[in-house]
Amino acid sequence: NCNNEINWERTRYVYTDCKINIVTETQYYESPGIISEKTLFAFLAQQLPILIGYKGIIEDCENLGFDMFRDIIDTSYDYAEDSIRWKQALEKNADLLAGNDTGDLKYRLQANLDHALNLPKMFKENFVNKVRENFQYSDTSGPS
């Protein structure tokens, strides 16, 4: 009975009232893991994400095309051992969490929002392209 659209609408006021989102992802120990709606909500709300999840999740988000604000957020914790990764994320970003000025990020935050909104279309296009590639490959092989 989980409906992310309803959940987003119900909690939007919380998300949009905060500049930074400490995202504790669902999968923490298994890598690679998943990038869930928790992370996407941070992008939709135009927040700086301090993303705490499985090892390498920040790089995976960047590979999907998201700006992870490495010039502002200390993401060196991303590959730390499971037992300390969450703590390092908070300690290394204590100044940011204390409210230090990050400058004008509205264009970068907007770019993440736009990218998050276009992600389903991108996944669909990638899937269709892969199917076409595989079909063409098997079609051109011909009989032996």
Side-chain angles (χ1 to χ4, degrees):
N1 293 335
C2 179
N3 185 322
N4 286 327
E5 292 174 24
I6 293 172
N7 187 30
W8 168 251
E9 289 301 321
R10 287 181 181 161
T11 59
R12 178 186 280 188
Y13 73 95
V14 174
Y15 281 94
T16 56
D17 194 38
C18 301
K19 184 169 94 172
I20 299 170
N21 188 335
I22 301 171
V23 182
T24 54
E25 262 299 355
T26 303
Q27 274 189 302
Y28 186 78
Y29 299 104
E30 302 85 17
S31 183
I34 60 169
I35 299 168
S36 76
E37 79 283 353
K38 295 175 188 179
T39 298
L40 294 177
F41 283 0
F43 297 138
L44 293 173
Q46 298 184 20
Q47 296 172 310
L48 290 173
I50 297 177
L51 183 53
I52 306 169
Y54 63 87
K55 287 181 185 178
I57 192 170
I58 293 168
E59 187 175 338
D60 287 351
C61 286
E62 288 174 330
N63 289 337
L64 285 173
F66 290 104
D67 181 348
M68 297 306 292
F69 303 93
R70 287 188 190 249
D71 56 320
I72 298 163
I73 300 169
D74 183 340
T75 60
S76 62
Y77 64 86
D78 194 33
Y79 284 96
E81 292 303 315
D82 293 341
S83 61
I84 60 169
R85 191 166 47 258
W86 66 271
K87 188 174 181 181
Q88 282 193 1
L90 299 176
E91 288 174 352
K92 290 178 180 288
N93 290 288
D95 288 343
L96 180 63
L97 292 169
N100 284 355
D101 185 32
T102 56
D104 186 9
L105 301 172
K106 65 182 173 186
Y107 296 108
R108 292 171 67 186
L109 293 166
Q110 181 66 46
N112 270 358
L113 166 62
D114 294 341
H115 190 64
L117 292 173
N118 288 311
L119 210 54
K121 181 181 176 185
M122 183 184 84
F123 286 154
K124 177 184 171 190
E125 289 171 357
N126 288 346
F127 174 77
V128 169
N129 289 336
K130 287 291 182 191
V131 169
R132 285 185 179 142
E133 286 174 17
N134 288 330
F135 179 73
Q136 288 173 351
Y137 177 75
S138 64
D139 191 39
T140 59
S141 61
S144 347

